Structure formats: structure tokens, C-alpha cells
Amino acid sequence: MLTAHRRWQFKVLSLLLGVIVLSSAGCSSDDTPDPPVPNDSFTPQIPEGFPQIDYPEDNAFTTERFELGKRLFFEPALSIDSTISCGTCHEPQLAFADDLPVTPGVDGRIGRRNAPSLFNVAYHPYFMREGGVPTLEQQVLVPIQEHSEMAFNIVQAGERMAMDPEYMQMSRDAYDRDMDYFVITRALSNFQRTLLSGNSLYDKHERTGTGLNSDELAGRDLFFSTRTNCSECHSGFNFTNYEFKNNGLTDVYKDVGRFILTGDSSDLAMFKTPSLRNVELTAPYMHDGSFESLEQVINHYNSGGSSHHQKSPLVKPLGLSDREQEQLLAFLKRLTDQDAITNENYKP
Ligand code: HEC
Ligand code: HEC
């Protein structure tokens, strides 16, 4: 049962995140350093048809920032006992998701949600399944401070990293300042904004008119049809409109979804619609990882889901034949982007 106290804690945490991240930006504005000169050993390639990425003013892309962010992403010393890195739960070969329903953090502590893919997070308008965190920079504080994830403290994490001369040098090269919590939040976000995926076989087919077979094309047409409504919610270049919806996963939700943020009963059991890019690699599925396979997901939508009072009217029995369900599955598997998964620039 969610208490008012829990909600209050959540709001205080969000507030704190805002203050710490924003205030640190404030102190550096006195003597704003010239941004470091980028070198062109790596530049993120924006996939064809994807919009430009909005970089915050104080965190434009540079190779130095990217390299530092990547190193920090795979750095276990960002957790209290130096055992868990961001990459523990967001693995490059699994589209920066993980293959467990819930990934244990330090001391094997179990959180409550399934780790999502981080591809294309540069475009998300807000983060987490209730949408309570407005920027990637602020999102960094959540896993570092979360008891069931890295259980550390962002300021102390900065102090620990600053003791390493190599990190100190990288920080000066990237942000023209000593390593601290400001640099950690910026560099991790700089790296994450480069995680782009838009080169699946489906994309290649859309560009060239070849690549998908007839079953995959039939699945694509089903996906974009009013028979299934899939693309009403999983729409646009990233296969999500980022809206908060209830897809009838179950009758009883242990996780109250967006209600934890707003306390508004119309937000009960509403979750941010996820992207379906690379969905083949991000099993298990849904906020709680309760579906093991894409077959189960398709079966769920075909049955029309639960009778939860918040369920979207778009989710209803579909009456797809076995063949049609297989075609839908075949299409979803063509959203896998081998170029992104095997991109060496993203690996430690
Ligand atoms: C113990 C596992 C774990 C660790 C460690 C972890 N994450 Fe996550 N991450 C998750 C889970 C679970 C969620 C989903 C939370 C939610 O939806 O409320 C998530 C969500 C996110 C999101 C939001 C994605 C979205 O779609 O809104 C970002 C960005 C992210 N993590 C980045 C990071 C970074 C950066 C680090 C390291 C500083 C990190 N994570 C460490 C498990 C982890
Ligand atoms: C009313 C909006 C809506 C419609 C229509 C819809 N979805 Fe979803 N979908 C969601 C939401 C919201 C979630 C996340 C639910 C959660 O986290 O518990 C989701 C989750 C998923 C997931 C799991 C993704 C992951 O990484 O966990 C898949 C796969 C999926 N949907 C495929 C489909 C397909 C295929 C269709 C059409 C048959 C469809 N969806 C129709 C809103 C929708």
C-alpha cells in the first residue's frame, strides 16, 4: 500500500535531485570555461530519419566527455562497495538492458522494476516508468543513491573518483574542472546520448524497399493497423509516444506506476510506454519483467489483457490467428539493430 509518506519521500528525492544538479551548474557559470576542442575519433551518427539531439548548454558532445562517460558507465566504484556499475544492469550486448526480471544491486538487494534498454534515451522527454525525472543528468543520481542499486552518494562518489589521477586528468580534459559529482552526472549523460539505434532490418527495408520477407511484412502491416492498435502507443521513430498507459497486464498491480509521483488516482497503474527497438534482446518484459518471452507478450495483447479499470480501450481481444501472431512476432524481431549491438564504441 502506498502511503502519503512514501509519496512525500519520492517528491523530496526529486527535489533534491533538481537542487544538486542545477545548483552545481550555477556555480560554474562565473568563469564559464571554453568548451574543450573536440577531436573527431568518435562522433555519434544520427540514424537516417531521426531528429537532431538536444544537448544541454553545459554538456555538448565532445569525444573527451564521451570517453569519460563510457569509462564511468562501466565503473563499479560508483557503487558503495565497488561491485555494481551501470553496465551491470544495462549490458551493451542486451541493448543496454538486462535478462533478469529484476537485477540485484549491492549485497544482492532486489529492486522493484525491470531494467529498460538505454538505446535512444537521448530523445526521451522524461525518465523512469512514472516519468518523474526530467533530464538524463538528474537521472544519474537515482541509481547511484538507490538503496537496491548502487547505494552510494553522488558527492562521495565524486570524491572517490577524484582520488584517481587518471580520472582527474580525464575530467579536466573533458570539462575543464576537477572530478566531482557535477562531472559524473554530465559525463554519464554525454555517453548515454550517443547510444543510438535506428539501423534495424526494418529500417533498412523502409529505406531501400528490400530486406523483409512476406511474413515479416504481414507482421509489420498488422503492427501498424487499427486491428491491433500497436502503433497507437508504440508510435514514431522510437516506437513509443512516451504516454502513460495501462496495457491490462494484470488485475492487481503491486507497483502503482505514475500514481507514486502525482498521487492522482487517474495515474494509478499507468506506466510510460516503452520503445520496442531491439525488443527481441530485452526480455523479460513489462515494468516487472513478468513476461518471459515475446510470444507471451503477443498472447497477452491478443487475449485483450486484464479487466483492470485503468486499462486503455485500445487494448482489447484481437482475434489474431496463430499465423498472424507468428507474423507479428517475426516483425518485432526485425527491430533488432545489429550495427548498434555490435558497435565497439559502446563497449568498455
Ligand atoms: C541494479 C540495476 C541497475 C543499475 C546498477 C543501474 N540501473 Fe538504470 N535502471 C534500472 C532499472 C530497474 C530502471 C527502471 C526504473 C524505472 O522505470 O523506474 C532503470 C532506468 C534507467 C534509466 C531510465 C530509462 C527510461 O526509459 O526512462 C536510465 C537513463 C538509466 N537507468 C541509466 C543508468 C545509469 C547511468 C546507471 C549508472 C549510474 C544505472 N542506470 C544503473 C536498473 C539499474
Ligand atoms: C494503450 C497503449 C498500448 C498499446 C495499444 C500497445 N501497447 Fe505495448 N505497451 C504499452 C505499455 C504502457 C507498456 C509497458 C507496460 C508495463 O511496463 O507494465 C507496453 C509494453 C509492451 C512490450 C514490452 C516492452 C518491454 O521492453 O518490456 C511489448 C513487446 C509491447 N508492448 C508490444 C506491443 C504490441 C505488439 C502491441 C499491439 C498488439 C502493443 N504493444 C499495443 C502500451 C501499449
Side-chain angles (χ1 to χ4, degrees):
M1 200 41 218
L2 181 85
T3 59
H5 177 67
R6 215 29 223 296
R7 273 206 307 278
W8 178 82
Q9 280 186 328
F10 189 83
K11 280 186 179 150
V12 169
L13 174 70
S14 318
L15 247 152
L16 267 172
L17 300 188
V19 170
I20 196 166
V21 178
L22 296 176
S23 67
S24 53
C27 6
S28 67
S29 66
D30 289 341
D31 49 343
T32 313
D34 288 338
V37 182
N39 74 50
D40 45 22
S41 58
F42 171 76
T43 1
Q45 295 299 315
I46 298 191
E48 215 178 302
F50 277 36
Q52 290 303 311
I53 294 167
D54 271 341
Y55 283 92
E57 228 166 272
D58 63 5
N59 204 11
F61 175 84
T62 72
T63 311
E64 289 77 7
R65 293 170 176 184
F66 164 83
E67 289 298 344
L68 176 57
K70 175 160 76 169
R71 182 130 171 215
L72 288 168
F73 191 88
F74 297 104
E75 177 56 80
L78 287 184
S79 64
I80 191 158
D81 61 358
S82 299
T83 57
I84 305 281
S85 74
C86 309
T88 305
C89 303
H90 301 284
E91 298 182 44
Q93 72 278 14
L94 298 174
F96 289 93
D98 193 21
D99 55 9
L100 299 168
V102 179
T103 314
V106 299
D107 279 341
R109 286 175 208 154
I110 295 291
R112 42 186 196 125
R113 288 181 181 165
N114 179 249
S117 167
L118 299 184
F119 273 121
N120 303 329
V121 282
Y123 299 103
H124 287 217
Y126 29 69
F127 300 90
M128 318 301 272
R129 287 192 175 77
E130 60 277 303
V133 181
T135 67
L136 273 176
E137 279 75 2
Q138 292 181 48
Q139 199 286 329
V140 167
L141 278 78
V142 180
I144 291 185
Q145 314 228 143
E146 171 62 48
H147 184 69
S148 62
E149 296 186 353
M150 300 162 100
F152 205 23
N153 167 298
I154 185 75
V155 177
Q156 285 170 285
E159 287 164 4
R160 185 188 279 174
M161 295 301 117
M163 284 169 9
D164 180 328
E166 220 178 312
Y167 268 123
M168 190 56 109
Q169 190 56 50
M170 287 178 90
S171 172
R172 288 176 181 151
D173 291 345
Y175 290 96
D176 207 9
R177 61 187 274 162
D178 288 353
M179 174 56 109
D180 63 358
Y181 57 88
F182 175 94
V183 173
I184 292 178
T185 60
R186 275 14 179 229
L188 279 169
S189 310
N190 210 277
F191 169 64
Q192 292 182 88
R193 283 195 183 89
T194 72
L195 304 176
L196 299 172
S197 170
N199 229 2
S200 64
L201 286 181
Y202 158 74
D203 297 293
K204 290 177 182 167
H205 185 98
E206 294 303 296
R207 282 171 211 146
T208 64
T210 55
L212 299 194
N213 68 30
S214 58
D215 277 334
E216 291 155 3
L217 288 173
R220 177 195 67 178
D221 294 345
L222 277 169
F223 185 89
F224 289 103
S225 73
T226 47
R227 255 189 88 196
T228 66
N229 288 324
C230 305
S231 63
E232 288 292 314
C233 301
H234 300 284
S235 62
F237 71 93
N238 202 24
F239 288 83
T240 168
N241 57 12
Y242 305 101
E243 281 178 14
F244 301 95
K245 294 284 180 194
N246 179 293
N247 69 348
L249 179 61
T250 165
D251 283 327
V252 184
Y253 281 77
K254 276 193 241 148
D255 188 325
V256 296
R258 189 162 164 79
F259 178 81
I260 200 171
L261 180 69
T262 64
D264 186 333
S265 59
S266 67
D267 286 327
L268 189 71
M270 300 292 245
F271 296 89
K272 186 170 81 173
T273 303
S275 169
L276 299 185
R277 288 196 169 275
N278 302 294
V279 70
E280 181 187 9
L281 302 174
T282 65
Y285 302 104
M286 307 301 169
H287 70 275
D288 55 0
S290 56
F291 286 149
E292 279 171 33
S293 66
L294 281 177
E295 283 84 347
Q296 279 177 357
V297 173
I298 290 174
N299 194 41
H300 159 77
Y301 281 113
N302 196 39
S303 75
S306 76
S307 51
H308 195 276
H309 69 280
Q310 291 279 66
K311 188 178 79 170
S312 163
L314 293 167
V315 178
K316 53 181 197 303
L318 301 177
L320 300 178
S321 69
D322 287 352
R323 178 88 197 277
E324 286 171 322
Q325 293 186 54
E326 280 162 23
Q327 291 170 330
L328 195 51
L329 175 66
F331 165 69
L332 291 177
K333 290 186 174 173
R334 288 298 167 258
L335 298 178
T336 304
D337 177 353
Q338 282 305 330
D339 296 355
I341 302 303
T342 57
N343 189 336
E344 289 301 321
N345 287 309
Y346 297 153
K347 302 204 170 142

